Amino acid sequence: MNLEDLYTFSVVAKEQNISKAAEKLNFVQSNITVKIQRLEKEYRTQLFYRHRHGVSLTSTGKTLLGYAEKILQLMDESKKEITYPKFPTGTLTIGAMETTAAVRLPPLLSAYHKKYPAVELVLQTDSTDQLIKKVVNREIEGAFIGGEVNHPALDGIDVFEEELVIICNSNHASNIEDTDYLRRQNIIVFKSGCFYRKVLEDWLRSQGIIPEKMMELNTLEGIVGCVRAGLGISLLTKSVVDGRNQNKELVQYSLPHKEGRVTTSYVYHKDSVKTPAFHEFVNMLTSKQ
């Protein structure tokens, strides 16, 4: 057995398809097959079920995958621990909700880049649910999410406190507290998994309101633009709305304190590789508190 065989096995397990794994690894399919057969011979067991859609792990294959991921991670950690210089370099990949990325992160990332110019910063935006999955799967090194940390594999720190506001077109200001008005409105939100969307849906339900229409958009500017045009209502952070309401076309309605004050946390995997670039980023966040 060698590390390349284990890595190939893990890629096939993830792709669930030998041809896709071969394309990703830039191998011919027969090369992939030989490596898998070599592992199966060594462990004296079948690792995959073959079917017309691809492959799937057997129970023993699932067991081996757990060990393979640990072995590959340890090898990666050993290389980074030995080869990384003490002064931060390399890449730091983080995730954030789009609202956080739009308002809170630019000055923070600018200060970090100024202090550690050798670090390449990579930022991915997504919903809180998807960001948590990416951190758990170690696809990114950390993420800014809405609410408190609530996953056994993750640690985190509280970074920002946000005030949440419902917004509507200024022409509808007198209706914003009217239950029938809210029930008839398009609820303009990010896709499912967005923390702020869940807060809005929970608050509406607490008021006995089941929205009749919902509009999902992929961008912050799209949501603000649609609300500004009178197409419906949404819920965003006050910091985001204040920066996009110079012409006073939006009216803000503050939620009660319990629902209207939320924490943005920075979360990271307890067992992931902690590079100097990561440590300095967390130190910068901690110093803000």
Side-chain angles (χ1 to χ4, degrees):
M1 181 185 66
N2 57 50
L3 287 177
E4 187 175 274
D5 288 353
L6 277 181
Y7 180 67
T8 300
F9 164 72
S10 69
V11 172
V12 174
K14 182 177 181 180
E15 297 294 333
Q16 298 183 13
N17 188 286
I18 289 178
S19 61
K20 289 182 180 179
E23 182 179 346
K24 184 172 183 177
L25 294 170
N26 199 27
F27 289 161
V28 295
Q29 290 190 40
S30 59
N31 198 345
I32 300 285
T33 300
V34 167
K35 292 177 183 297
I36 297 302
Q37 289 175 342
R38 190 156 55 208
L39 282 174
E40 290 181 329
K41 182 178 180 180
E42 181 159 356
Y43 283 98
R44 301 178 184 178
T45 187
Q46 182 178 340
L47 298 175
F48 290 101
Y49 295 115
R50 278 76 170 174
H51 47 76
R52 62 190 183 91
H53 298 296
V55 296
S56 56
L57 287 168
T58 63
S59 59
T60 51
K62 292 176 181 178
T63 299
L64 179 59
L65 180 61
Y67 284 106
E69 289 177 339
K70 291 178 183 178
I71 292 169
L72 293 169
Q73 183 191 349
L74 285 171
M75 288 302 300
D76 188 48
E77 287 180 7
S78 69
K79 290 179 182 178
K80 290 184 177 181
E81 183 68 24
I82 294 169
T83 61
Y84 269 27
K86 296 303 179 183
F87 193 78
T89 61
T91 302
L92 179 65
T93 304
I94 60 177
M97 300 175 292
E98 190 161 342
T99 49
T100 303
V103 176
R104 300 294 188 181
L105 292 194
L108 181 66
L109 297 183
S110 177
Y112 183 87
H113 175 68
K114 185 176 180 179
K115 191 172 183 180
Y116 304 111
V119 177
E120 178 186 358
L121 289 167
V122 178
L123 176 63
Q124 300 180 14
T125 58
D126 214 323
S127 68
T128 285
D129 284 359
Q130 289 302 312
L131 290 171
I132 289 174
K133 289 180 182 179
K134 288 181 179 181
V135 177
V136 169
N137 293 333
R138 300 186 180 90
E139 297 172 29
I140 55 179
E141 293 172 73
F144 293 89
I145 65 165
E148 302 293 334
V149 183
N150 189 24
H151 193 286
L154 303 182
D155 274 334
I157 55 175
D158 295 344
V159 185
F160 310 114
E161 184 177 87
E162 299 285 5
E163 179 182 353
L164 300 181
V165 293
I166 294 176
I167 57 172
C168 69
N169 180 279
S170 58
N171 293 330
H172 301 168
S174 61
N175 300 321
I176 192 64
E177 297 187 52
D178 183 274
T179 299
D180 289 334
Y181 166 80
L182 291 174
R183 184 178 292 110
R184 294 192 305 270
Q185 290 304 297
N186 269 321
I187 307 301
I188 305 174
V189 290
F190 287 110
K191 62 185 179 181
S192 180
C194 170
F195 175 76
Y196 298 142
R197 169 177 176 166
K198 183 178 185 305
V199 172
L200 177 57
E201 291 175 337
D202 288 347
W203 181 81
L204 289 172
R205 279 195 293 270
S206 74
Q207 304 302 304
I209 300 170
I210 305 299
E212 297 176 356
K213 296 172 287 184
M214 190 164 290
M215 180 186 297
E216 290 188 357
L217 297 177
N218 293 325
T219 67
L220 176 61
E221 298 305 329
I223 289 176
V224 174
C226 285
V227 175
R228 186 182 288 123
L231 293 177
I233 65 170
S234 188
L235 180 140
L236 294 170
T237 64
K238 182 173 174 57
S239 58
V240 163
V241 178
D242 287 345
R244 288 161 174 75
N245 197 27
Q246 291 84 355
N247 296 325
K248 307 301 179 184
E249 297 171 297
L250 301 171
V251 170
Q252 305 178 28
Y253 173 76
S254 297
L255 295 183
H257 189 273
K258 182 178 178 181
E259 294 89 356
R261 295 281 181 177
V262 297
T263 299
T264 298
S265 302
Y266 182 73
V267 299
Y268 49 89
H269 202 292
K270 292 178 180 178
D271 299 326
S272 65
V273 179
K274 308 297 192 300
T275 65
F278 171 88
H279 280 298
E280 293 304 325
F281 187 72
V282 171
N283 287 342
M284 182 174 287
L285 296 180
T286 304
S287 67
K288 287 176 53 62
Q289 297 178 314

